[in-house]
Amino acid sequence: TKTTTKERGSMTKNKNTKIMNIYGTTRYVYLSSPDTKWDPKGKYHITLEVDKDKAQEARKAIDDIIGKEVADEHIANPNGKPVERGALQYGIEDKIITFKAQTKFKPEIVDRRNKPIDPEVSIWGGTTLWADIKLEGYNTNNKIGCKVYLMGVQIDDLVKGSGNGVSRFPDRGEKPSVLPEHKEPPKELY
């Protein structure tokens, strides 16, 4: 659908958009704090695993938006050169489909009863949740695709830890570990 929408102060014009909700299990999670590995400003993002049979509506919505963007491009430039597809924001893996969603803004995070999650809680992979996402088609620099923006999440079953889930090791305090003293091997081993 061609719509004009306003989201957090930025105006988008004539975009193919759709807002929907997806339920799944998180694989990679940056909800408690932003991921700054590739962007110093940071991005909040998730990779959500969804059973293949339950993921078809979202998959079709993404494919439909991309199809509309391609059709719009062919109408606007009937003799233009072929367009390149942008990165697909879902992947098919055997019996699941993974969806990637991101935002530069801190998303709303609530529990099953719609109460805000304590900001000190670190949400880890394995958490099940409903993700509110905005699908938005794009056609820039000869690339056509569909971005998936994360608007908010409602936690179903929380897996929490520390360090935003980036380490599988527990916090062992500040006392340094004691390593065995290094000794040279006997000369006869040379």
Side-chain angles (χ1 to χ4, degrees):
T1 328
K2 289 279 189 185
T3 58
T4 302
T5 59
K6 190 168 187 170
E7 180 182 356
R8 296 192 190 230
S10 67
M11 190 69 149
T12 59
K13 295 180 183 178
N14 298 324
K15 292 286 181 180
N16 292 306
T17 61
K18 181 172 184 167
I19 294 174
M20 61 187 318
N21 192 279
I22 301 177
Y23 181 82
T25 303
T26 57
R27 180 183 292 173
Y28 302 111
V29 187
Y30 281 88
L31 291 173
S32 305
S33 62
D35 179 3
T36 56
K37 184 172 184 177
W38 307 110
D39 180 354
K41 294 179 184 176
K43 287 187 179 180
Y44 296 90
H45 61 91
I46 60 173
T47 299
L48 198 61
E49 298 177 347
V50 181
D51 291 333
K52 205 175 212 178
D53 58 330
K54 295 178 182 176
Q56 295 309 314
E57 179 186 359
R59 179 181 169 199
K60 183 178 181 327
I62 291 171
D63 290 344
D64 287 350
I65 286 174
I66 294 170
K68 288 175 186 173
E69 289 292 335
V70 169
D72 291 348
E73 175 63 22
H74 288 304
I75 290 168
N77 298 304
N79 298 322
K81 63 182 181 178
V83 292
E84 184 180 338
R85 296 286 175 105
L88 199 55
Q89 297 303 303
Y90 69 82
I92 302 170
E93 301 174 9
D94 195 29
K95 295 182 180 181
I96 63 166
I97 294 181
T98 58
F99 294 92
K100 295 179 181 179
Q102 66 179 1
T103 180
K104 57 184 170 182
F105 304 104
K106 175 85 172 151
E108 178 184 21
I109 305 170
V110 297
D111 65 14
R112 290 180 62 84
R113 297 181 158 251
N114 213 24
K115 297 198 183 335
I117 297 286
D118 181 346
E120 298 300 314
V121 170
S122 187
I123 302 165
W124 278 29
T127 297
T128 55
L129 53 80
W130 292 270
D132 280 337
I133 59 171
K134 177 182 178 184
L135 308 177
E136 184 175 289
Y138 65 88
N139 182 352
T140 57
N141 300 327
N142 281 340
K143 284 194 177 181
I144 288 180
C146 180
K147 294 183 180 185
V148 181
Y149 293 107
L150 182 62
M151 297 169 56
V153 299
Q154 184 174 26
I155 305 288
D156 184 22
D157 187 18
L158 176 65
V159 176
K160 60 184 177 176
S162 60
N164 199 32
V166 295
S167 174
R168 59 186 167 83
F169 298 106
D171 182 352
R172 300 186 196 280
E174 297 198 20
K175 184 178 174 185
S177 63
V178 179
L179 298 174
E181 186 179 319
H182 177 72
K183 294 181 182 178
E184 291 291 321
K187 294 280 185 201
E188 59 268 4
L189 292 179
Y190 285 98

